[in-house]
């Protein structure tokens, strides 16, 4: 594939990879990112590595995404935050909840407003998996007002499950009903 793009400039390759990324054609974007990384020497290389890590995450290759995101931590502030975001999400997906929690706390304490709902949700899910249901409820509920997604179906469902674990059926039912009202069409039974 590299020969096909040998005449492309760094900027053209970067634009192509990002276009593929935006179209959620992650495997193809990774191929282009590999060419860019292979060329090396560019000041934006850490951001390219971070974007490749996101592609790997989206393809459910969590271990590779985690390892690659660690390499991108030395980039600028935005690249570092994106790398930490991927690291926390990968650690959660890999069941390494105790490792994901401090990264999420760091981001929340650093006041990166854009990432609040994401990291609150990761904290809530990690605490749920560790059996800390009250802590889970706190962070899951906190993620709702700052969540920019229109649909909080999954968050409501996660809250309902935490209430179930705490044997609080009335609260669980309330959140199951909220989840049902917000269910994406493919989840409606």
């Amino acid at each position: 594939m590299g020969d096909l793009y040998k005449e492309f400039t760094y900027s053209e390759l970067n634009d192509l990879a990002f276009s593929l990324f935006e179209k959620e054609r992650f495997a193809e974007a990774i191929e282009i990112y590999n060419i860019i990384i292979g060329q090396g020497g560019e000041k934006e290389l850490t951001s390219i590595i971070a974007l490749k890590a996101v592609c790997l995450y989206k393809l459910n290759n969590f271990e590779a995404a985690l390892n690659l995101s660690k390499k991108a931590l030395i980039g600028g502030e935005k690249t570092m935050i994106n790398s930490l975001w991927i690291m926390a999400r990968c650690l959660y997906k890999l069941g390494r909840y105790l490792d994901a929690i401090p990264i999420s706390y760091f981001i929340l304490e650093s006041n990166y407003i854009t990432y609040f709902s994401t990291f609150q949700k990761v904290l809530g899910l990690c605490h749920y998996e560790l059996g800390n249901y009250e802590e889970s409820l706190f962070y899951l509920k906190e993620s709702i007002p700052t969540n920019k997604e229109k649909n909080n179906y999954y968050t409501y469902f996660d809250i309902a499950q935490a209430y179930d674990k705490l044997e609080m059926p009335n609260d669980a039912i309330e959140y199951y009903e909220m989840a049902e009202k917000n269910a994406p069409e493919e989840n409606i039974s």
Side-chain angles (χ1 to χ4, degrees):
M1 181 169 194
D3 289 339
L4 178 64
Y5 297 104
K6 68 181 179 183
E7 299 298 321
F8 281 57
T9 66
Y10 169 84
S11 180
E12 290 169 332
L13 287 170
N14 195 21
D15 290 346
L16 175 59
F18 195 71
S19 174
L20 292 167
F21 177 91
E22 286 183 320
K23 293 175 184 172
E24 298 186 8
R25 293 169 55 186
F26 301 115
E28 294 168 89
I30 287 172
E31 291 181 37
I32 304 300
Y33 287 136
N34 284 337
I35 293 168
I36 296 169
I37 293 167
Q39 292 176 349
E42 292 292 338
K43 61 183 176 186
E44 298 176 22
L45 198 54
T46 54
S47 64
I48 300 299
I49 291 170
L51 287 169
K52 181 180 173 187
V54 173
C55 290
L56 289 166
Y57 173 82
K58 294 288 191 174
L59 293 170
N60 297 324
N61 193 341
F62 305 122
E63 196 66 50
L66 175 62
N67 292 330
L68 200 56
S69 63
K70 290 176 186 177
K71 293 179 182 178
L73 284 174
I74 60 170
E77 184 176 7
K78 184 177 179 185
T79 300
M80 180 191 73
I81 298 304
N82 287 335
S83 296
L84 289 171
W85 176 81
I86 289 297
M87 287 174 66
R89 305 275 305 212
C90 289
L91 289 165
Y92 168 76
K93 293 285 190 176
L94 292 167
R96 294 171 51 190
Y97 313 117
L98 291 173
D99 294 329
I101 288 173
I103 294 170
S104 299
Y105 281 136
F106 171 78
I107 298 299
L108 290 177
E109 292 169 4
S110 299
N111 288 322
Y112 292 103
I113 303 297
T114 306
Y115 296 92
F116 265 37
S117 65
T118 297
F119 284 101
Q120 288 168 328
K121 176 101 183 214
V122 169
L123 280 168
L125 294 172
C126 288
H127 282 295
Y128 178 89
E129 295 297 337
L130 293 169
N132 305 329
Y133 304 117
E134 287 95 1
E135 196 85 357
S136 174
L137 283 170
F138 173 79
Y139 286 108
L140 289 171
K141 285 181 176 181
E142 286 292 308
S143 76
I144 293 171
T146 58
N147 192 334
K148 291 187 169 115
E149 297 172 356
K150 293 179 184 176
N151 190 326
N152 285 300
Y153 164 76
Y154 295 104
T155 305
Y156 292 141
F157 188 79
D158 295 332
I159 291 169
Q161 289 187 305
Y163 275 125
D164 266 346
K165 293 288 186 178
L166 291 169
E167 298 179 7
M168 300 173 73
N170 293 336
D171 292 317
I173 290 169
E174 176 185 346
Y175 278 91
Y176 281 128
E177 288 173 352
M178 290 168 72
E180 185 177 7
K181 287 178 189 171
N182 288 277
E185 288 189 32
E186 67 268 9
N187 289 336
I188 297 176
S189 35

